[in-house]
Amino acid sequence: MDILELQKLLRHRWWIPVSLAILVGFLSLGQLLLGPGRGYTVEIRMLIGVHPIDVADESLYDPRYYAWLVSEYLVDDFSEVVASGLFAENVVARMLSDFNIELEPDAIQGNADTGRTHRILDIEYEWPDEEEALAIGNSVVAEITENADKYFRQLATVRTEITVIEGPLVEPTSLTLFQRLDLPLRIFLSLFAGLTIILLLDYLDSSVRNRKELEAMGFPVLAEIPKQELPIS
């Protein structure tokens, strides 16, 4: 099939891919508007440090250097504490007592995401409800600042100090690259599917539409009647 034949075919059945793309677009928009919301992300940033120990001769041992070094290792350990089941249970208990919100510890633990930059610990939770997300953030901050000694005793660490430098901040969850490309990709695929349907219908169509098809079948063409539109009376 050459370009001219394809153009004629598209002019004749253009409505198939266009209708399919419009249908897919409306269904996708309806799913986006009527489906679950984007959700929210609560972010917390904490500075974790260890006080340097007192030494008589700092020329042999630099307490400040090793305090910074231990602090970085401590952030790694404490990120695992935040993601633990024990911490999630304590946060859930605090939410019930402080905000009268009852949640499952597994949900808190499963949505916890931690990261680190030197001595700074980043904590994030993704949650569908804004009010509950803020309550989670406040409960996490309160649990860490009020009961930090208990967790650090489990880590065999003393003279530890935690400072909340940011948060809890609750913001709508940003769309991922896949979510941004989802609607255009669906429309593009529907147009491609419509074009495929056009080609399939043309392949299955056994009717003869021009002299080239007759000649290709081995029949001689004696005459050809041009197509004319009848005048409207």
Side-chain angles (χ1 to χ4, degrees), residues 94-102:
R94 186 177 291 273
M95 289 184 64
L96 183 60
S97 61
D98 295 348
F99 302 99
N100 197 26
I101 297 177
E102 186 174 0

Side-chain angles (χ1 to χ4, degrees), residues 14-39:
W14 61 268
W15 57 272
I16 294 179
V18 172
S19 302
L20 190 59
I22 293 176
L23 177 62
V24 171
F26 274 112
L27 292 177
S28 300
L29 286 176
Q31 182 182 8
L32 180 63
L33 296 176
L34 300 179
R38 289 165 50 185

Side-chain angles (χ1 to χ4, degrees), residues 1 6 9-10 13 16-17 191-207 209:
M1 179 182 295
L6 181 59
L9 194 61
L10 291 177
R13 291 174 174 169
I16 294 179
L191 290 173
F192 182 78
L195 180 60
T196 304
I197 293 175
I198 291 177
L199 296 176
L200 180 62
L201 291 176
D202 180 71
Y203 176 77
L204 298 177
D205 189 2
S206 60
S207 61
R209 289 159 296 190

